Amino acid sequence: MIQDNNKSQVKSKKRVADHGEVFTNEREVKAMLDLVKIESERIESRFLEPAMGDGNFLSEVLNRKLNSVDEKYKSVQNEWERYGIIAISSIYGVDILEDNAIECRKRLFNIFNGRYFAHFKEKCLDDCKRSVLFLLERNILWGDALDFTNPETKRPIVFSEWSAVNGSMLKRRDYIFKFLVEKTHQFSMFNDEGNIGSIDEPIKDYPLIHFLKLGIDDAN
Ligand SMILES: C[S@@+](CC[C@H](N)C(=O)[O-])C[C@H]1O[C@@H](n2cnc3c(N)ncnc32)[C@H](O)[C@@H]1O
């Protein structure tokens, strides 16, 4: 578990005044996630935190999901990688402060990579790490969750839905965040039974890609 129990809940008075940035402590994070314990441990369950800070909740969710991956797949590297990547692909976050988004991505990567290395040492694949970094770039975003745009560019926040297909392939579909929220009136994101009938069409639909090939070029 990579979390500093003594981590300060406040970075500066200015950040508290400007953005209400007060981080939740680990005990409360765990207690709140225990309210949705089964979902928090399910590898494929989709979580979105619309004001994630540097990822206190998302880190705990990833740890719980990876505990489930370890339990079932630790003895087979390719399966651990595949399900570990599904765990990462189902975690989403937004924060209005860019440094929080960067910090959150780093934190989630370090949790994944720490476990990956502990299990498979020098057999760890650069392809797997690149896929994880790519997913974190796509899923953990710098954005304003109230007006649904990037604070600098003012372009709409776009999230990617990732679905596992035929074992090792991933399907990516991009959706405009604002539309998802207005359509569902809640932050429930995608239907993970694969049924997208209840939400609108994606703005972009990508070809299937192997889970170890993400981020090789800009196209996917
Ligand atoms: C109370 S902190 C909570 C952080 C984290 N969820 C936690 O529990 O540790 C609120 C966070 O919301 C972010 N925030 C404030 N206004 C926001 C907005 N309009 N859109 C996205 N994030 C926002 C702040 O930067 C801060 O990181």
Side-chain angles (χ1 to χ4, degrees):
M1 174 74 178
I2 302 175
Q3 188 161 352
D4 179 359
N5 290 333
N6 299 317
K7 186 182 146 191
S8 169
Q9 287 182 260
V10 170
K11 282 187 179 167
S12 73
K13 283 185 183 167
K14 179 162 170 43
R15 288 169 72 108
V16 176
D18 291 350
H19 301 291
E21 188 192 63
V22 179
F23 296 114
T24 310
N25 74 36
E26 187 181 357
R27 195 192 54 211
E28 285 161 357
V29 168
K30 288 186 171 183
M32 287 171 75
L33 286 173
D34 283 347
L35 298 172
V36 288
K37 191 170 185 317
I38 291 173
E39 281 301 285
S40 71
E41 293 169 349
R42 193 165 70 86
I43 298 166
E44 300 86 353
S45 64
R46 291 187 172 106
F47 273 81
L48 164 68
E49 214 200 335
M52 75 207 163
D54 61 2
N56 286 340
F57 281 91
L58 298 183
S59 299
E60 177 65 15
V61 169
L62 180 59
N63 269 308
R64 290 179 182 210
K65 283 166 170 267
L66 291 180
N67 287 343
S68 304
V69 176
D70 284 354
E71 224 170 79
K72 293 181 186 142
Y73 305 110
K74 205 166 75 178
S75 54
V76 185
Q77 179 168 347
N78 188 259
E79 290 290 275
W80 193 94
E81 288 161 342
R82 188 155 70 87
Y83 283 98
I85 281 180
I86 290 173
I88 287 275
S89 75
S90 55
I91 290 177
Y92 297 86
V94 181
D95 200 278
I96 200 165
L97 294 174
E98 187 179 20
D99 63 339
N100 278 340
I102 292 168
E103 192 53 41
C104 182
R105 283 186 207 120
K106 272 192 209 156
R107 203 169 158 191
L108 297 177
F109 180 77
N110 287 340
I111 289 171
F112 182 95
N113 200 38
R115 296 226 189 184
Y116 189 36
F117 185 76
H119 298 327
F120 305 110
K121 306 273 186 311
E122 69 287 343
K123 286 183 281 173
C124 290
L125 304 177
D126 287 343
D127 279 346
C128 181
K129 295 182 207 173
R130 191 202 52 249
S131 282
V132 168
L133 288 169
F134 181 78
L135 287 167
L136 292 171
E137 279 291 325
R138 278 299 321 129
N139 286 14
I140 305 298
L141 300 180
W142 174 31
D144 184 332
L146 294 178
D147 75 2
F148 309 107
T149 66
N150 174 285
E152 187 176 66
T153 64
K154 292 293 166 198
R155 290 168 69 176
I157 297 171
V158 173
F159 276 120
S160 300
E161 176 196 39
W162 305 96
S163 311
V165 181
N166 299 336
S168 296
M169 306 302 280
L170 286 177
K171 178 77 184 165
R172 171 180 170 186
R173 295 185 185 95
D174 285 358
Y175 294 88
I176 293 176
F177 182 35
K178 181 172 196 284
F179 184 82
L180 292 174
V181 175
E182 287 180 348
K183 194 78 174 174
T184 59
H185 301 287
Q186 58 178 338
F187 289 114
S188 63
M189 295 287 285
F190 314 106
N191 172 343
D192 66 7
E193 310 303 331
N195 173 12
I196 58 164
S198 59
I199 57 175
D200 208 0
E201 296 299 308
I203 53 160
K204 193 160 177 190
D205 197 307
Y206 292 78
L208 290 179
I209 185 165
H210 192 278
F211 75 95
L212 293 176
K213 297 208 163 132
L214 293 168
I216 285 179
D217 57 45
D218 286 342
N220 227 310

